[in-house]
Amino acid sequence: MFKYILKRLGSAVGVLFAASLLLYILVINSGDPLGDLRESNAKNREYLMQQRIDYMNLDQPWYLRYLTWLGGVGRCFVGSCDLGKNINGVDVGDILANAASSTLRLVLLATVIAAILGISIGVLTAVRQYSGLDYIVTFLTFLFFSLPVFWAAVLLKEYMAIGYNNWLEDPEISIGTTIVIGIVAGLILQMLLAGSLKRRGLTFLITAVFVPLLLQYSLWLNFYRYPQMGPAVIVVLTLLLALSATAMTVGLKEKRVLYPALITVVLVLGMYYATFWMLETPSTWLLIIGGILAVAIPALIGKFMGGRLSKTAASISALVGFVGGGLTVLDHIFRAWPGFLDLKGRPIGTIGSSTANLGGSYWDTFLDNATQLLLPTIVLAIISLASYSRYTRSSMLEVQQQDYIRTARSKGLSERTVIFRHAFRNALIPITTIAAFDFAGLIGGAVVTETVFGWKGMGDMFNTGLHAVDPAPVMAFFLVTGTAAVLFNLLADIVYALLDPRIRV
C-alpha cells in the first residue's frame, strides 16, 4: 500500500505540473494585463504601468514567471508558500486563505448534505424499484440535475429569501393552504412507508389531519418568530431515534443494543441541564469538545454493554448522543432567534457570506453566518444530490442481483439485514468515487454560485483574476482544486480496500 501511494503521488505531481503549465499559458494569453492602464488618461499612468509590471514580473519571459510561481509553490513543503502578488500588489496567499475559508465551508456542508440525502434516497428507490415513489424521485433527480445553477439561485433568492422575509414579518397560513399541505405530506409519507393498502390509507389519513393541526398550532404559538423546544421534546425525539435505529439494524429484542441507546437518551437529558448555562454564551471550542464527548461517551457505553454486538451498539449509541447534542444546541439557537430578528429584521440573506458590523452575541453571529450560508448550500446540494441518488440506486440494483444476496435471503435473514449489512456496503464502492470527485467539482462549480450570491470566495477570486488577466489568483485557485481532485481520488482508491477486502492494490 505504501509503494502504491508513493507511485500515485508521483503520477499526481506530473499531472498537476502539466495542467498548471497549460493553464498558465492560457491565462497569460487571454488578454493584456495593462489594457486598462493603456487607455487611462491619468497623469501618473506610466508610474502605474511600471508598478503593475513590477508586481506581475511582466518584464520577464513567460517561462521565467511560471518557474518563479512554481518555485513559490515548492516552498509550501517547508512551510513558507509564496504564491506571488495579484495585479494590485496584494499577496495572493492572504487572499487565498480568506477565500478558501468561505468556499470550503460552503462546499463541505453541501457535500455532506447531498451525500446523506442522496444515498438514502438511492437506497430507498432501489428497494422500491418501479414503484410510484421510484418514478417521482427519478423525475425530480433528473430535474435537479438539469437545473442551471444561476436560475435555481435566482428562484431561491426570490422565494426562500425575499418571500420568506416578507412572510416572517406577519406569519400567517390560511386553513385552505394548511389542508393542501397536509394532503401533499400524506401522499408523500404513505409512498415512503409503503405497505398494504390499508396501512397506506391510514398513514395518509393521520398525516393529512395531523399536519394542518400542527401548522395552525405553530401559528397560534407564534413559533416562527419565537421558536421553542425544551427538554421534553429533545427526550422524545432522541428516544424515537434510539428505538427506530435499533429496530432497523438488529431489532428491538436485542437488549444489548437497545439498553445502551436508552441510557444515552437519559445522558442527553442530563447533558441538557448540565450545560444549559454554559451554552448561553459558548465558544466554538466548547461546542467542538462537547460534540466529541457527546459521541465518545455513548460509544464507550455501547461497546462495553454490547457484547458480540458491541460495534452496532456503539454506533447506535454514538448516533443518539450526537443527535441529542445537536438538539440541545438547536434549543439554544431557538432561544436566540427572537433577539436575532430584532438585530437583523430580514434574516435570510442573499448577498455575501456574513453581515458587516452586525454585533450581537455568539449565537447572533452564528445565526447570521448560517442564514447567509443557507441558499448557496441548497443550490449546490440539490444538484449533487441528483448524482448521488442515481448512482446509489443503480449500484444497489446491481448488487441485489448477486448470488450472495440470494444466499443471504435463502438463509432466512431479515430484509433489513440483507439490505444494510450485505448489499449496502458493496454498493458504496462506486459511490466512493462519486464523492471523491464531487467535492473537488463543487469547488469549481462554486464559481457561478458565489457570483450570484456575492460571496467573496475562491470562485470570486478565480473570476476576478481571469477578467484581469492576472495569473496568480487563477493559479492559486487551480492549486487548491487540482490538489483536492488528485488527493480525493487517491483517498477513494484507499477506501475501496476498506469497503471490500477482496480489493488489493
Side-chain angles (χ1 to χ4, degrees):
M1 178 64 76
F2 182 70
K3 290 182 179 179
Y4 172 76
I5 292 175
L6 289 179
K7 182 180 178 180
R8 286 292 302 273
L9 288 176
S11 63
V13 171
V15 170
L16 289 175
F17 171 75
S20 66
L21 178 60
L22 177 62
L23 180 61
Y24 194 88
I25 293 173
L26 291 174
V27 173
I28 63 175
N29 287 284
S30 63
D32 182 9
L34 300 175
D36 59 325
L37 293 179
R38 297 185 197 279
E39 300 174 357
S40 173
N41 295 322
K43 295 181 179 180
N44 61 340
R45 186 184 68 170
E46 297 299 326
Y47 169 77
L48 294 175
M49 291 178 66
Q50 185 59 46
Q51 188 181 52
R52 186 171 295 180
I53 290 172
D54 294 338
Y55 287 152
M56 304 177 64
N57 297 322
L58 296 177
D59 54 341
Q60 298 180 4
W62 70 268
Y63 53 86
L64 288 181
R65 291 156 55 196
Y66 172 75
L67 291 176
T68 300
W69 175 82
L70 195 62
V73 172
R75 292 171 59 184
C76 292
F77 292 101
V78 294
S80 58
C81 291
D82 182 11
L83 302 181
K85 295 181 179 180
N86 71 352
I87 201 168
N88 297 315
V90 180
D91 184 58
V92 174
D94 296 335
I95 299 175
L96 179 62
N98 294 328
S101 63
S102 296
T103 298
L104 293 179
R105 179 176 41 149
L106 169 63
V107 170
L108 182 62
L109 183 60
T111 302
V112 171
I113 293 173
I116 293 175
L117 293 180
I119 292 174
S120 301
I121 292 172
V123 172
L124 184 61
T125 52
V127 173
R128 309 269 181 82
Q129 186 184 16
Y130 301 134
S131 64
L133 175 66
D134 186 24
Y135 287 123
I136 292 174
V137 170
T138 299
F139 169 76
L140 290 176
T141 51
F142 278 114
L143 176 64
F144 291 155
F145 189 78
S146 305
L147 281 178
V149 174
F150 62 89
W151 184 68
V154 171
L155 288 180
L156 286 178
K157 290 175 72 171
E158 175 64 28
Y159 294 105
M160 287 196 66
I162 298 174
Y164 177 78
N165 288 334
N166 292 337
W167 177 81
L168 195 59
E169 293 178 358
D170 184 21
E172 186 62 42
I173 306 176
S174 66
I175 295 178
T177 303
T178 58
I179 293 174
V180 172
I181 294 174
I183 293 173
V184 173
L187 291 172
I188 294 174
L189 193 59
Q190 62 87 21
M191 283 193 299
L192 290 174
L193 297 180
S196 63
L197 185 61
K198 180 180 179 181
R199 178 181 172 181
R200 284 174 176 266
L202 186 62
T203 301
F204 170 77
L205 183 61
I206 293 174
T207 306
V209 173
F210 177 73
V211 169
L213 292 177
L214 181 63
L215 288 174
Q216 290 298 323
Y217 181 64
S218 66
L219 288 171
W220 181 74
L221 290 176
N222 201 7
F223 178 83
Y224 303 98
R225 293 192 65 88
Y226 299 93
Q228 49 193 297
M229 187 160 51
V233 176
I234 294 175
V235 169
V236 170
L237 292 177
T238 50
L239 179 61
L240 290 175
L241 175 63
L243 295 174
S244 59
T246 304
M248 289 177 61
T249 51
V250 295
L252 294 176
K253 293 182 179 180
E254 286 289 350
K255 308 302 181 185
R256 284 171 293 188
V257 177
L258 179 61
Y259 287 163
L262 296 179
I263 291 173
T264 304
V265 174
V266 178
L267 289 177
V268 167
L269 180 61
M271 177 180 64
Y272 176 86
Y273 287 107
T275 62
F276 186 85
W277 298 111
M278 297 171 63
L279 292 178
E280 287 293 308
T281 55
S283 65
T284 302
W285 280 110
L286 176 64
L287 294 178
I288 292 174
I289 294 172
I292 294 173
L293 293 177
V295 172
I297 294 175
L300 290 174
I301 294 174
K303 183 175 179 61
F304 284 114
M305 296 183 62
R308 63 181 179 85
L309 298 174
S310 59
K311 290 185 178 180
T312 304
S315 300
I316 293 177
S317 298
L319 176 63
V320 174
F322 177 77
V323 173
L327 291 174
T328 301
V329 172
L330 183 62
D331 179 73
H332 286 272
I333 293 174
F334 279 178
R335 294 174 182 274
W337 180 255
F340 176 68
L341 289 183
D342 292 337
L343 197 63
K344 184 182 177 182
R346 301 179 66 81
I348 308 300
T350 58
I351 297 295
S353 57
S354 61
T355 303
N357 304 317
L358 178 71
S361 64
Y362 176 90
W363 290 121
D364 292 326
T365 304
F366 177 88
L367 283 168
D368 178 59
N369 291 331
T371 51
Q372 296 289 134
L373 189 66
L374 179 64
L375 298 187
T377 299
I378 293 176
V379 170
L380 292 177
I382 61 174
I383 295 172
S384 294
L385 183 148
S387 299
Y388 281 108
S389 62
R390 298 314 299 163
Y391 277 103
T392 303
R393 179 183 181 275
S394 300
S395 183
M396 283 289 294
L397 290 176
E398 181 181 354
V399 167
Q400 289 186 82
Q401 303 302 318
Q402 301 298 316
D403 291 339
Y404 65 88
I405 297 296
R406 285 193 289 269
T407 302
R409 287 195 173 105
S410 66
K411 288 166 61 178
L413 296 178
S414 65
E415 190 66 14
R416 176 186 62 244
T417 304
V418 172
I419 294 298
F420 289 102
R421 284 198 179 184
H422 296 273
F424 181 59
R425 180 172 180 176
N426 289 283
L428 279 178
I429 295 175
I431 308 304
T432 305
T433 304
I434 303 302
F437 281 105
D438 186 62
F439 183 79
L442 277 180
I443 298 178
V447 174
V448 177
T449 305
E450 289 180 3
T451 301
V452 175
F453 289 104
W455 273 57
K456 297 300 180 181
M458 292 178 61
D460 178 75
M461 181 184 70
F462 173 85
N463 199 29
T464 302
L466 200 60
H467 279 84
V469 197
D470 186 2
V474 177
M475 298 305 292
F477 176 86
F478 164 80
L479 187 64
V480 174
T481 54
T483 304
V486 169
L487 291 181
F488 275 86
N489 189 27
L490 173 61
L491 182 62
D493 289 343
I494 296 173
V495 172
Y496 288 161
L498 299 177
L499 291 173
D500 190 346
R502 297 171 299 176
I503 296 177
R504 290 292 180 266
V505 297

